[in-house]
């Protein structure tokens, strides 16, 4: 990918968002060649400690203040972490003002923001995904369910912060999930899709794209359930590892050809220039990979897991995606290491969580161990306390998964907050003990 003159590195970069994902992005971008200063807005309790990063208290929905910051600080690249500002058109607004943004506009963000839209696009593109029935009213949904006569997966249409999906085991559960969508927090105007249930292990694939070309990151596996042995309620993710052996190089190539390239082509056919990360949540079924969902952002904690593997070309590659010139970017180096990430969550997560507990301890700086803050907050008196469900992410790299996880769990012993919940079995699929 080096035919044209190489693209300059951005020196001044802004990361928008306040989770563990955004701290990992800021950290990796600051390590990138040529980057001199990274701003992070609003960040969290750990952002101010990231070397070379400046934290500012601007909310991700305050588009006008973000644009003003870009102008004032001559920001050369904005990387938007979360889906909500993308779906709300932040990238469109900044781009219209001439700012380079890694992240799709509101049109492309529908890939995540509307399940109905994404399913229709997948069908149009011939991308493998479970059969589905869209519904825009309670009656329509219940009728479609009864017509199928089996418990389907129920998915609310809009952004639901990971809480819009019910994998029903019984008809009763499926009916209740439909009722909840139309009477609960989604309101009478809600819409949904019903989906065939598929079986198989899940893996996340991330493509960095400029709308035409793409670079794939190593596949990652998340751990969605709160409990060991993959039990209990779904969470945002309790840990992850990469590269997931579930998808070898040939498998990843198949995903590129059958899923990612056709989806990008279908977006282009709708006049959408998708510049950002395309996250395919896949289920590896007996019939091959099937798309469970698309997201328009990096996964969290997959992002924390992957960033330490990426080389110093990252900022240039993201700028090249943002400006539609991926052919001018250097190849992205990916360290041939195993990366392991373990989340420390607050008591009560994924329900109502306990917060306000001081974060104690810190990690010795090390090449291959990172501590990223997620749900934390810095108080006026300087103390850093827990303020969310997933509080900390500890990540470690080594030549094998056993060594990487041993390092991550050892590092976790050095940090503490009251009520800390950790799954001890993250990576059980790839660890020998
Ligand atoms: P989502 O919010 O779309 O990621 O869905 C949450 C979880 O629900 C996924 O990670 C899967 O474990 C499960 N899920 C979603 N769609 C299906 C499906 N069609 N069949 C079986 N499980 C599913
Ligand atoms: N880790 C799953 C997600 O970010 O959606």
């Amino acid at each position: 990918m080096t035919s044209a003159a190489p693209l300059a590195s951005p020196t001044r970069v802004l990361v928008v968002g306040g989770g563990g994902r955004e701290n990992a992005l800021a950290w990796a971008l600051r390590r990138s060649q040529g980057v001199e200063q990274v701003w992070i807005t609003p960040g969290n309790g750990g952002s101010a400690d990231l070397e070379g990063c400046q934290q500012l208290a601007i909310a991700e929905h305050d588009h006008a203040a973000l644009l003003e910051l870009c102008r004032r600080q001559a920001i050369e690249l904005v990387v938007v972490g979360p889906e909500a500002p993308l779906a709300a058109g932040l990238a469109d607004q900044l781009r219209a003002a001439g700012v380079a943004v890694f992240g799709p506009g509101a049109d492309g963000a529908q890939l995540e923001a509307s399940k109905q839209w994404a399913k229709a696009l997948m069908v149009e593109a011939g991308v493998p995904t479970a059969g589905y029935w869209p519904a825009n009213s309670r009656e329509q949904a219940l009728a479609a369910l009864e017509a199928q006569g089996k418990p389907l997966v129920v998915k609310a249409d809009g952004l639901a912060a990971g809480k819009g999906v019910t994998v029903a085991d019984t008809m009763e559960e499926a009916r209740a999930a439909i009722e909840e969508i139309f009477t609960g927090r989604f309101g009478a105007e809600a819409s949904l899709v019903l989906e065939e249930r598929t079986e198989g292990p899940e893996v996340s694939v991330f493509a960095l794209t400029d709308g035409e070309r793409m670079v794939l990151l190593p596949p990652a596996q998340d751990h969605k359930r709160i409990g060991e042995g993959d039990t209990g309620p779904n969470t945002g993710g309790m840990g992850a590892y990469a590269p997931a052996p579930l998808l070898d190089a040939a498998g990843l190539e198949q995903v590129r050809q059958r899923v990612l390239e056709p989806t990008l082509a279908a977006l282009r056919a709708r006049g959408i220039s998708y510049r950002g990360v395309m996250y395919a949540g896949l289920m590896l079924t007996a019939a091959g990979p099937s798309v469970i969902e698309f997201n328009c952002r990096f996964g969290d904690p997959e992002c924390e897991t992957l960033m330490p593997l990426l080389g110093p070309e990252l900022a240039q590659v993201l700028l090249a995606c943002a400006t539609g010139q991926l052919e001018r970017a250097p190849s992205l180096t990916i360290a041939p290491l195993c990366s392991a990430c373990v989340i420390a969550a607050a008591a009560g997560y994924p329900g109502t969580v306990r917060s306000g507990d001081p974060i104690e301890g810190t990690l010795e700086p090390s090449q291959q161990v990172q501590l990223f803050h997620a749900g934390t907050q810095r108080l006026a008196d300087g103390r850093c306390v827990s303020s969310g469900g997933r509080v900390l992410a500890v990540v470690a790299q080594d030549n094998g998964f056993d060594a990487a996880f041993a390092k991550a769990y050892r590092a976790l012993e050095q940090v503490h907050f009251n009520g800390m919940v950790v799954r001890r079995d993250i990576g059980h699929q790839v660890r020998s003990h």
Side-chain angles (χ1 to χ4, degrees):
M1 248 188 260
T2 46
S3 51
L7 199 69
S9 308
T11 55
R12 304 162 73 78
V13 178
L14 166 64
V15 175
V16 176
R21 171 180 53 208
E22 287 75 24
N23 277 343
L25 283 166
W27 172 85
L29 287 162
R30 180 62 183 85
R31 296 202 313 172
S32 288
Q33 207 177 323
V35 174
E36 287 166 11
Q37 175 77 47
V38 173
W39 283 261
I40 181 165
T41 56
N44 58 37
S47 305
D49 293 336
L50 293 167
E51 200 196 324
C53 292
Q54 189 178 338
Q55 181 180 13
L56 290 173
I58 302 175
E60 62 190 39
H61 56 76
D62 193 346
H63 298 190
L66 290 167
L67 176 56
E68 207 274 317
L69 172 66
C70 291
R71 289 201 166 124
R72 184 162 30 93
Q73 296 294 0
I75 300 288
E76 291 154 278
L77 171 67
V78 178
V79 178
V80 182
E83 63 278 14
L86 292 169
L90 174 61
D92 302 296
Q93 208 171 331
L94 295 178
R95 261 184 212 122
V99 180
V101 184
F102 180 82
D107 52 5
Q110 290 177 91
L111 209 47
E112 173 165 2
S114 169
K115 301 267 187 207
Q116 287 192 359
W117 192 89
K119 289 297 266 190
L121 187 91
M122 284 186 252
V123 169
E124 183 184 310
V127 166
T129 187
Y132 81 107
W133 298 266
N136 297 319
S137 70
R138 173 181 166 275
E139 293 68 31
Q140 203 185 358
L142 289 170
L145 177 70
E146 300 309 328
Q148 292 310 309
K150 60 182 176 193
L152 300 169
V153 179
V154 181
K155 300 188 171 183
D157 192 55
L159 291 180
K163 297 199 175 81
V165 175
T166 302
V167 182
D169 287 319
T170 62
M171 291 295 278
E172 210 34 63
E173 250 182 86
R175 284 188 204 106
I178 291 171
E179 297 290 353
E180 207 235 310
I181 286 176
F182 287 104
T183 56
R185 65 201 167 95
F186 297 96
E189 299 298 299
S191 52
L192 55 70
V193 302
L194 300 172
E195 213 175 82
E196 291 276 5
R197 183 166 178 170
T198 46
E199 299 286 341
E202 289 176 46
V203 63
S204 309
V205 173
F206 300 91
L208 311 179
T209 176
D210 68 350
E212 302 265 344
R213 296 150 287 252
M214 58 176 70
V215 174
L216 301 194
L217 303 187
Q221 192 169 38
D222 188 11
H223 295 62
K224 290 232 166 79
R225 305 300 191 99
I226 186 73
E228 286 166 18
D230 295 322
T231 54
N234 261 321
T235 71
M238 292 298 291
Y241 61 87
L246 277 168
L247 264 187
D248 58 11
L252 194 59
E253 188 51 33
Q254 189 187 42
V255 170
R256 176 203 287 271
Q257 287 174 16
R258 290 203 195 160
V259 172
L260 300 166
E261 298 278 8
T263 301
L264 203 54
L267 286 164
R268 277 199 304 273
R270 293 188 179 200
I272 297 172
S273 175
Y274 190 103
R275 298 175 177 185
V277 59
M278 192 185 280
Y279 161 175
L282 301 169
M283 193 169 264
L284 304 181
T285 71
S290 173
V291 178
I292 291 282
E293 62 167 350
F294 274 118
N295 294 313
C296 62
R297 50 167 177 91
F298 285 103
D300 190 340
E302 292 98 320
C303 185
E304 292 92 310
T305 315
L306 288 167
M307 285 302 137
L309 296 177
L310 306 184
E313 311 84 3
L314 180 67
Q316 267 169 294
V317 171
L318 298 194
L319 179 62
C321 288
T323 54
Q325 313 178 74
L326 198 45
E327 80 284 3
R328 289 181 62 197
S331 297
L332 181 60
T333 319
I334 296 176
L337 294 171
C338 295
S339 188
C341 171
V342 182
I343 295 289
Y349 184 66
T352 308
V353 297
R354 165 188 170 126
S355 61
D357 290 303
I359 310 298
E360 287 155 5
T362 180
L363 293 191
E364 291 300 313
S366 147
Q367 281 280 330
Q368 291 187 328
V369 184
Q370 303 83 31
L371 170 67
F372 296 119
H373 282 230
T376 69
Q377 167 188 11
R378 183 82 52 186
L379 300 180
D381 65 10
R383 281 185 313 145
C384 183
V385 298
S386 60
S387 63
R390 290 181 293 170
V391 178
L392 302 171
V394 172
V395 194
Q397 298 78 44
D398 212 309
N399 292 321
F401 282 113
D402 283 349
F405 274 104
K407 232 187 229 179
Y409 279 110
R410 238 183 356 257
L412 251 178
E413 285 165 17
Q414 293 165 46
V415 288
H416 178 78
F417 54 91
N418 283 334
M420 175 162 139
V421 176
V422 171
R423 264 184 72 169
R424 308 301 313 179
D425 68 339
I426 302 299
H428 60 87
Q429 304 89 332
V430 290
R431 282 156 72 190
S432 54
H433 47 83

